[in-house]
Amino acid sequence: MRRWALNHQLAAKTTLDVAHGALWIAFHVDHVAVTESEPLGNILRPLRFLLLEESTGSSPRNALGSDALTAAATWAKDARKPLAAEDLNFTKKMQLHSSVRRAHACLLGLLYAKYRQLREAKYF
């Protein structure tokens, strides 16, 4: 039986426990916010990734969103911290508001659905 000796360092451990802090991702109409926190929840570094307006078309907007999520994943890997993302639901908001606000909530819901799809494709 042949034995192989590997001479390499162990990889740095990444934890999924937020007790060591985390990176928090929040979606907004015009930007994606990523914030690194310490174990007690204090903010260490905030960063904003600007997004294009919906009128510019979906391809450039999706590319910027994808780049923002990739940068967040790289940041989390380098910091060895888990990513945490909000899970929004616009159904109640659309039902409660007038037609103008309902249209805005519907648009926001569609934008968030695309962002969520990109996020899940990259992280899960």
Side-chain angles (χ1 to χ4, degrees):
M1 177 190 228
R2 183 180 241 182
R3 293 186 184 239
W4 297 95
L6 300 177
N7 188 12
H8 63 85
Q9 293 181 352
L10 295 175
K13 184 177 179 183
T14 300
T15 178
L16 294 179
D17 186 1
V18 294
H20 302 287
L23 265 81
W24 307 91
I25 301 174
F27 171 78
H28 302 272
V29 174
D30 61 343
H31 70 279
V32 173
V34 182
T35 305
E36 182 180 2
S37 70
E38 66 171 1
L40 296 175
N42 297 321
I43 294 173
L44 295 175
R45 292 187 301 168
L47 192 59
R48 288 176 54 163
F49 297 94
L50 297 178
L51 299 175
L52 299 173
E53 294 179 10
E54 181 59 23
S55 60
T56 59
S58 61
S59 292
R61 184 177 175 86
N62 291 345
L64 280 177
S66 179
D67 290 348
L69 293 172
T70 299
T74 302
W75 185 1
K77 180 182 171 192
D78 292 345
R80 297 190 324 247
K81 294 182 178 179
L83 284 168
E86 59 194 351
D87 190 15
L88 302 176
N89 185 347
F90 294 94
T91 306
K92 286 184 182 179
K93 194 171 195 174
M94 287 187 279
Q95 293 171 349
L96 294 175
H97 294 295
S98 67
S99 60
V100 173
R101 289 194 176 197
R102 190 177 302 134
H104 177 72
C106 184
L107 175 61
L108 190 59
L110 291 173
L111 294 174
Y112 179 74
K114 184 58 182 177
Y115 153 80
R116 186 176 177 178
Q117 180 184 20
L118 284 169
R119 188 185 75 207
E120 289 177 359
K122 288 189 178 292
Y123 304 145
F124 306 108

